[in-house]
């Protein structure tokens, strides 16, 4: 158990919702309740040192009336309590908002939801309640904080902005009763606090004592847009609160409190100590993205697909595809020289803290309108402050919610809303069999239940006919039918080499392997020009696994192939055009990395070949492949979202790639070895941020619609 | 573990001839009938000894399907050795050798050592290509030849090690400028090798993890 977990377990700066999250964790219930009781007494007895089975902690700093200002409106301010808590060698920063009755939620409310009233009435979660949960900062280790920037506006309250090593920043914390200096003073006692050479208001935080280690560790910093993990439980809370206290949330992800980065080491999260314009790129993306998330975070059920290009009016608009794409981040960096350490701009609320002109801008902004929020993003010129905030992903779509998408006759009344929902949260495993048929296009969204039943019956007959075509080829006929023999033998060879370690496909004479074979051979007759190509069995395997029905799987696979056939064209034109698009995207979203790949002659992006050919099938555990694919198939933000996923993964490893000066061989091996080590949810969030940020400039990078299959695409003989 | 040289190998040949199984037998000394087909490229590595010098073989196992060739060709770059594999039970895999060889000659460096391998020698009852035909093809094209069985491990060690021996001899004969990595050879630490002048980065890593951590 890492120290952060220990801390949370032992101290639980808890609201009732937080407790609910803790309950989801796999700790023994008995032990937990003992600890919570111990904590409760500790908290109520003045928050001094406490000892429990998992260690002691000490509140070393406490400050009331520290507020977040989600908007310029005074009545939307959220007040809370800022604390520094020491456990062992680690110090954690927390900011817990007060609850509605004005009592700090961390003052010993140690009741589980079933035992006491939740802070937020589940029936009517107000905007502010959601925000309160959203903005909560719990147990951020100082080792995860890169810098703290002090702002002392001439008018209004002083505030600080905490920037994490991941590049993410928390919204500004306003000290309504003053005391920023004292806070920094206390912080200095517990962490190495260095004033930035570039900006005297920026304090670099580092609790690692060994300077050598410190300098070494900056090498492995994940560079990409890495949203704060704390948000995941927050989102869970929000959802739980809406669904009522009885929601045990068993389907929800466990609370992520481990502070370890995707690379799995302490080394990954240590502060970056140098001005790094590359890092600023990420920060800036986050800054932009946060403006989007301001409304998106509430919008899971509110928005339809009309805003697919929220950043369409960003500074990169209107670039002709062939024109050199200017690095999107450079202008921002120039305009914000003080942002050299990845400092975020102050929150939007800064407007009411006294900056008059900003306030005007903010006033003009339709506060609760999603479009308004997007408008704010418009242009990189825009100096208006922004929250920097990662977007939590909601839990997967379940049966009850799915039912709400269907009208009385079973039509999907809001396909765009459904696609959006799937994009953000995926689908629960039990629901995939039904929902995937729509996502893939086998079932039309506008079809009624009765129509679908008829469709399935027809498709079953059609499949039998197609299957009969090759099954009825006699031995004599086959002898004179080389193409058929060759295809059949290739499929035969490959189905026994496809996911055989999965129980579903394991063992001799497995009927599922036989179904895989039948579908692939049938498909090569159904689409004779395309035929069979390696990679198809990888794409079919999860579909058959989910459908668990040969006919449905065939038609879903055929529908998928409508979108992916060009991956398997003999001349590889589909693959090459996607690799080219990826290159353009990296150039757009990470110019230094693009430069690097150019230097080492890797612009063909062949190292991403497998990712693209079979949509990361070999890179993730099976369950995660299912999740990733439904997100891709939702085609919510982009028909080519997988390319943004590629960029997101590359961005996470960009520093390592460049620092180690990987060349074609080493790069290819490195990328191959990432298999099984890519964290999905974070990567998806990064990809979403990148996609939104790229906007129309990203669209311009995308491959052209695949041309209709013609003779040049026809698969040829093997040799 | 330190090594005197690192050799990059590629394994090429039609799909299903047993390329991945040969690699696994060589690196892990096991035969795995159930494995996923190769998409793109996979990697393996093993240390061997040639004349008391430690040699690290880094082996690239490529996808065999024809339509991936435009991608596979890029892997030839900088390979010191190639195993060109066919399946003795499937005539067509033998018939395609010329086309593979042409690819290799065109896209690899001209000094690349090529070992022709007739795999699945355990399936004598299904043999469709005679040993003599294999020998003949090898002779005509200047290749080393061997029949192997990835299943029984017959000749697998020999195939990889003889290839390395041939490369090593070329180094001793001065055929390669070992400081030029495009030949697929890198000079490592220790074991009487060079001073590390040509040490590749990936192997700097490998050495580091092996001896310093």
């Amino acid at each position: 158990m890492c120290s952060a977990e220990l801390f949370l377990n032992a101290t639980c700066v808890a609201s009732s919702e937080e407790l609910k999250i803790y309950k989801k964790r796999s700790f023994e219930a008995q032990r937990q309740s003992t600890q919570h009781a111990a904590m409760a007494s500790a908290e109520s007895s003045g928050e001094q040192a406490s000892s429990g089975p998992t260690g002691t902690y000490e509140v070393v700093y406490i400050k009331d009336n520290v507020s977040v200002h989600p908007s310029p409106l005074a009545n939307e301010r959220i007040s809370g309590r800022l604390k520094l808590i020491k456990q062992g060698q680690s110090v954690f920063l927390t900011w817990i908002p007060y609850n509605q009755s004005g009592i700090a939620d961390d003052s010993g409310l140690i009741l589980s939801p079933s035992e006491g009233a939740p802070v937020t009435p589940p029936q009517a979660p107000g905007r502010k309640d959601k925000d309160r949960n959203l903005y909560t900062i719990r147990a951020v280790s100082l080792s995860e904080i890169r810098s703290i920037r002090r702002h002392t506006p001439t008018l209004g309250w002083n505030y600080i902005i905490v920037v994490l090593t991941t590049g993410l920043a928390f919204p500004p914390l306003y000290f309504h009763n003053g005391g920023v200096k004292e806070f920094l003073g206390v912080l200095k006692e517990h962490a190495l606090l260095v004033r930035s050479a570039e900006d005297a208001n920026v304090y670099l935080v580092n609790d690692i004592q060994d300077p050598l280690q410190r300098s070494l560790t900056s090498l492995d910093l994940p560079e990409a847009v890495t949203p704060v993990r704390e948000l995941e439980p927050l989102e869970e809370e929000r959802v739980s609160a809406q669904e009522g206290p009885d929601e045990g949330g068993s389907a929800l992800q466990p609370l992520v409190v481990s502070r370890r980065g995707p690379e799995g080491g302490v080394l990954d999260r240590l502060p970056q100590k140098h001005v790094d314009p590359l890092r600023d790129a990420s920060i800036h993306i986050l800054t932009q993205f946060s403006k989007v998330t301001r409304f998106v975070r509430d919008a899971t059920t509110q928005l339809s697909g009309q805003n697919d290009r929220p950043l369409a009016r960003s500074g990169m608009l209107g670039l002709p595809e062939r024109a050199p794409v200017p690095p999107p981040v450079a202008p921002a960096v120039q305009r914000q020289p003080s942002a050299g350490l990845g400092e975020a701009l102050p929150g939007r609320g800064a407007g009411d803290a006294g900056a008059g002109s900003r306030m005007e801008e903010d006033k003009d902004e339709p506060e609760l309108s999603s479009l308004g929020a997007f408008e704010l993003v418009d242009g990189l010129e825009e100096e208006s402050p922004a929250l920097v905030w990662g977007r939590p992903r909601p839990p997967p779509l379940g049966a009850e919610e799915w039912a709400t998408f269907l009208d009385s006759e079973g039509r999907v009344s809001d396909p765009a809303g459904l696609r959006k929902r799937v994009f953000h949260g995926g689908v629960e495993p039990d629901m995939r069999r039904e929902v995937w048929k729509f996502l893939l296009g086998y079932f039309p969204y506008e079809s009624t239940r009765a129509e679908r039943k008829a469709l399935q019956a027809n498709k079953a007959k059609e499949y039998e006919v197609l299957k009969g075509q090759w099954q009825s080829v006699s031995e004599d006929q086959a002898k004179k039918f080389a193409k058929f023999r060759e295809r059949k033998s290739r499929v035969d060879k490959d189905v026994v080499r496809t996911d055989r370690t999965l129980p579903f496909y394991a063992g001799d004479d497995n009927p599922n392997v036989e179904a895989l074979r039948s579908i692939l051979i049938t498909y090569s007759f159904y689409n004779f020009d395309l035929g069979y190509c390696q990679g198809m069995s990888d794409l079919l395997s999860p579909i058959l696994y989910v459908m668990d029905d040969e006919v449905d799987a065939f038609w879903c696979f055929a529908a998928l192939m409508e979108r992916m056939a060009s991956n398997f064209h003999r001349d590889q034109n589909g693959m090459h055009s996607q690799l080219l698009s990826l290159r353009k995207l990296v150039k757009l979203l990470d110019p230094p990395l693009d430069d690097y790949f150019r230097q080492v002659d890797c612009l063909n992006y062949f190292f991403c070949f497998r990712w693209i050919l079979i949509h990361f099938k070999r890179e993730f555990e099976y369950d995660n492949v299912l999740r990733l694919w439904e997100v891709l198939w939702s085609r919510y933000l982009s028909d080519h979202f997988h390319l943004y996923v590629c960029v997101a993964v590359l961005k996470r490893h960009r520093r390592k790639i460049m620092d180690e000066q990987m060349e074609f061989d080493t790069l290819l091996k490195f990328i191959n070895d990432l298999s099984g080590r890519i964290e999905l949810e974070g990567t998806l969030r990064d990809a979403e941020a990148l996609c939104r940020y790229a906007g129309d400039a990203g669209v311009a990078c995308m491959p052209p619609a695949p041309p209709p299959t013609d003779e040049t695409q026809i698969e040829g003989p093997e040799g | 573990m330190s090594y005197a040289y690192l050799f990059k190998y590629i394994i090429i040949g039609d799909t299903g001839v047993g390329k991945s199984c040969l690699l696994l037998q060589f690196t892990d000394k096991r035969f795995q009938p159930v494995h996923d087909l190769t998409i793109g490229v996979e990697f393996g590595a093993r240390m061997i000894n040639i004349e008391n010098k430690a040699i690290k073989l880094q082996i690239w196992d490529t996808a065999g399907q024809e339509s991936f060739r435009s991608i596979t060709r890029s892997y030839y770059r900088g390979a010191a050795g190639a195993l060109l594999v066919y399946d003795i039970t499937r005539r067509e895999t033998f018939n395609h050798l010329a086309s593979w060889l042409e690819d290799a000659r065109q896209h690899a460096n001209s000094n690349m050592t090529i070992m022709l391998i007739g795999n699945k020698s355990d399936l004598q009852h299904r043999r469709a290509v005679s040993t003599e035909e294999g020998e003949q093809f090898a002779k005509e094209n200047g290749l080393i030849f061997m029949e192997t069985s990835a299943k029984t491990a017959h000749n697998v060690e020999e195939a990889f090690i003889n290839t390395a021996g041939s490369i090593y001899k070329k180094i001793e004969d001065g055929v390669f400028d070992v400081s030029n990595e495009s030949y697929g050879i890198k000079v490592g630490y220790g074991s009487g090798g060079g001073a590390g002048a040509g040490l590749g980065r990936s192997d700097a890593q490998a050495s580091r993890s092996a001896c310093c951590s």
Side-chain angles (χ1 to χ4, degrees):
Chain A
M1 203 187 290
C2 79
S3 56
E5 282 175 318
L6 282 175
F7 161 68
L8 278 174
N9 201 23
T11 65
C12 281
V13 197
S15 68
S16 62
E17 283 125 323
E18 286 175 279
L19 251 181
K20 184 157 53 176
I21 305 297
Y22 300 138
K23 292 274 183 192
K24 291 171 197 158
R25 295 174 58 76
S26 55
F27 300 116
E28 314 118 78
Q30 190 61 47
R31 199 176 125 201
Q32 235 183 6
S33 63
T34 316
Q35 284 165 359
H36 289 323
M39 277 156 22
S41 68
E43 290 269 342
S44 56
S45 64
E47 295 180 318
Q48 289 308 308
S50 158
S51 67
T54 52
T56 62
Y57 72 91
E58 184 188 357
V59 178
V60 295
Y61 171 83
I62 192 161
K63 182 77 188 172
D64 276 306
N65 280 321
V66 175
S67 304
V68 167
H69 298 177
S71 85
L73 301 174
N75 64 9
E76 290 205 354
R77 288 173 199 154
I78 304 167
S79 285
R81 176 180 284 175
L82 183 68
K83 288 203 287 192
L84 290 173
I85 299 170
K86 186 175 184 184
Q87 186 187 38
Q89 292 304 304
S90 301
V91 177
F92 299 86
L93 178 143
T94 70
W95 178 80
I96 308 291
Y98 303 131
N99 67 15
Q100 276 176 329
S101 46
I103 301 165
D105 290 349
D106 64 344
S107 59
L109 179 54
I110 310 294
L111 293 170
S112 76
S114 56
E115 293 160 341
V119 173
T120 306
Q123 308 85 344
R127 174 182 183 76
K128 195 168 172 182
D129 299 312
K130 286 186 210 168
D131 281 356
R132 210 168 39 221
N133 289 331
L134 190 67
Y135 294 125
T136 301
I137 301 171
R138 71 191 67 198
V140 174
S141 165
L142 294 191
S143 66
E144 289 172 86
I145 297 177
R146 182 167 68 241
S147 68
I148 292 176
R149 186 190 175 105
R150 182 178 68 166
H151 293 260
T152 49
T154 46
L155 284 170
W157 300 284
N158 292 349
Y159 61 93
I160 60 166
I161 293 175
V162 177
V163 181
L164 301 180
T165 56
T166 55
L168 210 83
F170 286 110
L173 295 170
Y174 290 85
F175 285 60
H176 282 227
N177 294 349
V180 170
K181 206 172 169 184
E182 288 75 14
F183 167 72
L184 292 170
V186 175
L187 200 63
K188 213 165 190 168
E189 293 168 20
H190 298 280
L192 190 64
L193 210 60
V194 184
R195 273 201 179 198
S196 159
E198 284 77 25
D199 185 340
N201 283 319
V202 172
Y203 294 82
L204 304 170
V205 183
N206 191 343
D207 69 353
I208 293 297
Q209 297 306 310
D210 178 358
L212 174 64
Q213 192 187 3
R214 196 161 60 229
S215 64
L216 289 176
T217 53
S218 63
L219 298 176
D220 275 346
L221 281 171
E223 282 294 332
V225 189
T226 312
V228 181
R229 301 240 167 134
E230 281 80 3
L231 289 181
E232 288 175 284
L234 294 178
E235 179 66 8
E236 287 170 13
E237 282 180 52
R238 187 174 73 75
V239 172
S240 302
Q242 285 171 336
E243 289 171 356
D246 289 334
E247 284 295 322
S250 56
L252 300 178
Q253 304 291 320
L255 174 63
V256 179
V257 286
S258 164
R259 308 307 337 154
R260 289 182 181 269
E263 309 257 11
V266 181
L267 303 190
D268 297 323
R269 51 173 213 256
L270 290 171
Q272 170 87 347
K273 291 297 174 196
H274 308 287
V275 177
D276 180 357
L278 310 187
R279 169 165 289 281
D280 285 339
S282 296
I283 281 288
H284 192 74
I285 287 171
L286 279 169
T287 310
Q288 298 296 319
F289 180 50
S290 69
K291 301 171 185 177
V292 179
T293 60
R294 166 163 178 75
F295 92 89
V296 176
R297 64 169 190 253
D298 296 324
T300 318
T301 55
Q302 292 168 11
L303 268 189
S304 61
Q306 66 201 16
N307 297 316
D308 279 5
R309 289 285 147 212
L311 301 186
R313 294 179 56 205
S314 73
M316 296 171 294
L317 243 198
L319 289 169
E321 188 177 347
R322 287 168 191 246
V325 182
V329 294
V333 173
Q334 284 158 13
R335 272 191 295 277
Q336 303 161 18
S338 68
L341 287 149
E343 194 60 66
L345 289 167
R348 299 165 56 163
D352 79 332
S357 60
R358 278 185 200 161
M359 198 167 152
E360 288 309 306
E361 280 181 32
D362 282 351
K363 271 181 183 168
D364 289 339
E365 180 197 336
E367 188 54 33
L368 299 177
S369 143
S370 52
L371 285 171
F374 281 140
E375 289 295 324
L376 188 79
V377 176
D378 187 301
L380 300 175
E381 270 75 16
E382 185 264 318
E383 294 267 304
S384 170
L387 301 182
V388 179
W389 207 247
R391 175 170 155 55
R393 294 179 60 81
L397 174 71
E400 278 178 39
E401 193 184 349
W402 166 243
T404 66
F405 279 99
L406 302 175
D407 70 13
S408 57
E409 293 182 271
R411 294 182 196 88
V412 176
S413 42
D414 177 14
L418 175 68
R419 286 165 51 219
K420 180 187 165 88
R421 176 68 180 84
V422 172
F423 175 80
H424 284 127
V427 180
E428 277 184 11
D430 289 350
M431 299 307 301
R432 287 186 169 131
R433 192 178 300 183
E434 184 161 7
V435 178
W436 278 22
K437 291 175 183 135
F438 292 91
L439 294 177
L440 284 166
Y442 173 33
F443 284 174
Y445 287 114
E446 65 278 7
S447 60
T448 63
R449 275 188 202 91
E451 286 164 351
R452 292 197 289 270
K453 209 171 170 185
L455 175 83
Q456 265 179 308
N458 284 336
K459 289 292 185 186
K461 279 183 209 153
E462 196 179 339
Y463 178 73
E464 286 313 312
V465 171
L466 290 166
K467 188 175 173 182
Q469 286 175 358
W470 62 267
Q471 283 188 321
S472 63
V473 172
S474 69
E475 231 169 275
D476 271 357
Q477 191 186 357
K479 277 181 189 161
K480 304 177 183 72
F481 197 172
K483 191 127 188 163
F484 171 66
R485 289 198 313 271
E486 184 199 307
R487 276 190 190 178
K488 202 153 141 291
S489 99
R490 278 159 61 189
V491 171
D492 286 345
K493 281 202 163 300
D494 286 354
V495 292
V496 296
R497 299 190 288 173
T498 303
D499 292 326
R500 296 298 299 286
T501 51
L502 282 182
F504 188 78
Y505 292 111
D508 296 336
D509 302 320
N510 185 320
N512 296 320
V513 176
E514 182 55 34
L516 208 59
R517 173 179 180 271
S518 296
I519 293 169
L520 288 169
I521 300 176
T522 307
Y523 182 78
S524 86
F525 268 69
Y526 172 73
N527 188 345
F528 201 86
D529 287 346
L530 188 64
Y532 168 76
C533 185
Q534 287 189 340
M536 287 184 178
S537 66
D538 274 275
L539 293 178
L540 173 58
S541 158
I543 292 175
L544 179 61
Y545 168 80
V546 164
M547 293 300 147
D548 202 14
D549 177 274
E550 188 175 322
V551 174
D552 286 340
F554 174 84
W555 290 110
C556 285
F557 176 71
L560 178 65
M561 279 298 114
E562 290 296 308
R563 299 177 192 174
M564 292 186 68
S566 74
N567 283 21
F568 302 103
H569 286 164
R570 180 172 163 72
D571 64 3
Q572 294 280 284
N573 66 344
M575 286 303 300
H576 285 293
S577 69
Q578 287 177 86
L579 291 167
L580 179 64
S581 292
L582 176 57
R583 171 182 163 182
K584 290 180 187 168
L585 266 192
V586 172
K587 185 173 180 173
L588 175 73
L589 294 164
D590 196 340
L593 189 62
D594 171 70
D595 277 350
Y596 177 76
F597 287 148
R598 176 175 291 106
Q599 280 168 35
V600 293
D601 199 17
C602 286
L603 283 178
N604 59 23
Y605 282 84
F606 282 176
F607 52 89
C608 295
F609 177 80
R610 191 172 72 187
W611 291 2
I612 292 176
L613 184 81
I614 50 175
H615 282 187
F616 291 90
K617 162 74 161 44
R618 299 283 181 97
E619 319 311 320
F620 293 102
E621 293 299 313
Y622 211 68
D623 286 349
N624 277 340
V625 169
L626 308 182
R627 167 59 39 81
L628 171 67
W629 284 9
E630 63 206 10
V631 169
L632 298 180
W633 296 342
S634 74
R635 303 205 287 182
Y636 170 61
L637 281 186
S638 169
D639 287 356
H640 306 279
F641 192 69
H642 63 290
L643 297 178
Y644 291 97
V645 176
C646 294
V647 180
V649 179
L650 290 176
K651 264 187 159 300
R652 287 195 164 203
H653 300 283
R654 64 194 298 281
R655 178 159 293 278
K656 191 175 171 66
I657 289 169
M658 292 193 280
D659 282 352
E660 295 183 8
Q661 297 183 40
M662 295 184 192
E663 295 178 358
F664 184 79
D665 286 18
T666 42
L667 182 60
L668 187 63
K669 186 166 190 311
F670 173 73
I671 295 290
N672 251 43
D673 291 346
L674 287 180
S675 173
R677 301 196 293 119
I678 306 172
E679 194 262 315
L680 179 62
E681 293 294 317
T683 302
L684 285 175
R685 281 184 299 208
D686 291 0
E688 179 184 353
L690 291 165
C691 184
R692 289 186 184 279
Y693 178 67
D696 276 8
V699 175
C701 296
M702 290 300 120
T709 304
D710 60 34
E711 286 182 7
T712 63
Q713 314 299 352
I714 294 172
E715 161 231 31
E718 174 113 330
Chain B
M1 239 171 105
S2 61
Y3 54 80
Y5 294 107
L6 177 140
F7 297 163
K8 173 181 166 181
Y9 277 20
I10 54 168
I11 313 182
I12 54 176
D14 275 8
T15 180
V17 297
K19 296 183 293 296
S20 301
C21 289
L22 280 168
L23 174 60
L24 194 70
Q25 182 59 261
F26 178 65
T27 57
D28 289 31
K29 299 194 189 307
R30 64 194 168 96
F31 177 69
Q32 192 180 3
V34 172
H35 66 94
D36 283 351
L37 63 101
T38 307
I39 301 281
V41 66
E42 302 279 355
F43 295 87
R46 208 188 108 181
M47 299 289 287
I48 58 167
N49 269 296
I50 304 279
E51 294 183 14
N52 289 324
K53 294 263 195 324
I55 312 257
K56 181 177 176 179
L57 300 185
Q58 188 191 72
I59 305 149
W60 294 36
D61 169 30
T62 65
Q65 180 155 327
E66 166 68 17
S67 50
F68 297 147
R69 285 247 201 136
S70 63
I71 308 281
T72 323
R73 283 183 190 119
S74 66
Y75 306 145
Y76 291 24
R77 190 166 59 181
L83 305 190
L84 170 54
V85 188
Y86 67 95
D87 174 353
I88 63 156
T89 71
R90 282 194 296 146
R91 181 102 210 152
E92 69 272 19
T93 67
F94 181 76
N95 294 341
H96 295 155
L97 288 177
S99 126
W100 283 110
L101 202 55
E102 193 188 319
D103 252 21
R105 299 268 195 237
Q106 201 176 336
H107 299 280
N109 80 69
S110 54
N111 287 313
M112 183 168 76
T113 302
I114 303 176
M115 163 79 76
L116 178 67
I117 289 180
N119 191 36
K120 308 197 185 178
S121 65
D122 54 296
L123 301 176
Q124 286 297 341
H125 56 291
R126 284 167 48 192
R127 180 184 279 276
V129 184
S130 71
T131 308
E132 292 70 30
E133 284 175 289
E135 280 169 349
Q136 180 66 21
F137 185 90
K139 196 175 163 191
E140 284 168 9
N141 292 282
L143 318 175
I144 322 172
F145 174 67
M146 221 169 237
E147 285 193 348
T148 62
S149 166
K151 188 171 183 177
T152 67
H154 174 247
N155 267 349
V156 173
E157 288 275 309
E158 289 81 353
F160 284 88
I161 290 171
N162 290 1
T163 307
S166 166
I167 296 168
Y168 186 78
K169 185 163 185 307
K170 285 182 188 173
I171 294 174
E172 295 217 304
D173 293 348
V175 174
F176 295 124
D177 169 10
V178 291
S179 67
N180 181 344
E181 288 185 11
S182 71
Y183 289 112
I185 297 163
K186 292 168 184 172
V187 182
Y189 296 115
S191 302
L199 187 75
R201 284 160 199 105
S202 63
D203 307 299
Q205 264 178 283
S207 316
R208 204 162 52 225
S209 61
C211 60
C212 307
S213 59

